[in-house]
Amino acid sequence: MPQSDVVLLGEVHDNAAHHTHQVRAVKAIQPAAIVFEMLTPEQAEVANDLVGAAAGELAEALNWADTGWPDFNMYYPIFTTSSARIYGGALPRQNVRRAISEGAAALFGDGAERYGLTTPLPEDQRETREAAQMTAHCDALPPEMLPGMVEAQRLRDAAIAQAVVEAFQATGGPVVVITGNGHARSDWGVPHNLRVAAPDLTLLSIGQFEETPDPGEPFDLWLVTDPTEREDPCAAFQ
């Protein structure tokens, strides 16, 4: 891989092969810091205090079973494969929910302008993102919720980007980001917020997919794996 200050390693969250690839990438990069989309800053501090802990002990300390993320055993090797300091890019769920009605900039607070949250989205991007939210939620959302869902996504992107900047300033990098493909995409995901907030950082965005994407997908590199077996994600909406 090209050397970069920040490497975003995308994933489909429940695909074990994607996490295996992330472990291989972390071994190759040997980052100074790893930012997890799945962890709050408080959880990251717990992880840093429990370096070398067994998977069960760490999962219990992180209260992983109540987070809604897939099996911790898929993520655990990422914690143990390097001596990188752990950072968290997640926000409290209530803040993300409030962003739906109050907007990303209001919930982000100080620094909202630096991370691009006070700039309205271009109309074509807003429409594309709203359509993507509808598809991701199995066409079950009321249309009036879609703008707020996009605001929540913008808030989460900016929070991860802020954690990356903090991690780079504290460690000097490189920084690896463990996150879903939606946050790793280079056009409007975390890389966009980083280009606005920290334009001197060099970025590499890698997606992982379960089918061959279109040639214009917004990633610098990508991998295609077999899909994992899973229940119909839309069944809960029916």
Side-chain angles (χ1 to χ4, degrees):
M1 294 179 292
Q3 291 187 346
S4 298
D5 295 327
V6 181
V7 181
L8 296 103
L9 300 177
E11 65 181 46
V12 175
H13 297 306
D14 64 349
N15 191 312
H18 293 188
H19 300 297
T20 298
H21 293 155
Q22 289 170 333
V23 171
R24 293 176 62 189
V26 169
K27 286 182 178 178
I29 297 166
Q30 286 298 302
I34 301 177
V35 175
F36 282 86
E37 172 197 349
M38 304 81 196
L39 301 180
T40 64
E42 292 76 19
Q43 288 174 306
E45 285 305 311
V46 170
N48 287 317
D49 290 340
L50 290 176
V51 173
E57 180 185 358
L58 183 55
E60 183 176 358
L62 295 174
N63 199 26
W64 190 270
D66 294 332
T67 65
W69 293 106
D71 185 358
F72 184 72
N73 287 319
M74 291 194 290
Y75 288 91
Y76 178 67
I78 305 172
F79 287 87
T80 62
T81 198
S82 80
S83 59
R85 183 158 186 83
I86 304 302
Y87 288 80
L91 293 168
R93 292 178 183 175
Q94 62 268 25
N95 287 20
V96 177
R97 287 194 294 266
R98 286 177 57 194
I100 295 175
S101 58
E102 299 178 38
L107 269 296
F108 193 86
D110 293 342
E113 182 176 1
R114 178 185 179 187
Y115 286 89
L117 295 180
T118 58
T119 302
L121 296 178
E123 185 65 18
D124 58 342
Q125 184 188 130
R126 183 187 62 77
E127 292 176 355
T128 299
R129 295 181 70 162
E130 288 182 8
Q133 287 290 336
M134 181 64 87
T135 300
H137 291 85
C138 304
D139 298 324
L141 290 179
E144 59 270 20
M145 280 192 67
L146 296 175
M149 297 296 288
V150 172
E151 284 297 295
Q153 187 78 356
R154 292 183 74 191
L155 176 65
R156 295 178 65 203
D157 285 334
I160 296 170
Q162 186 180 48
V164 170
V165 171
E166 177 186 346
F168 188 84
Q169 290 176 341
T171 68
V175 177
V176 159
V177 183
I178 303 296
T179 188
N181 287 325
H183 293 298
R185 58 184 295 155
S186 61
D187 51 356
W188 65 56
V190 175
H192 164 73
N193 300 94
L194 289 173
R195 287 194 298 270
V196 173
D200 292 337
L201 293 178
T202 56
L203 310 175
L204 181 68
S205 176
I206 303 176
Q208 296 193 81
F209 300 96
E210 296 182 330
E211 59 183 27
T212 302
D214 295 332
E217 282 293 313
F219 297 87
D220 299 308
L221 301 169
W222 64 66
L223 296 170
V224 180
T225 73
D226 291 334
T228 193
E229 293 186 9
R230 60 175 67 89
E231 296 180 1
D232 180 4
C234 293
F237 291 93
Q238 295 172 0

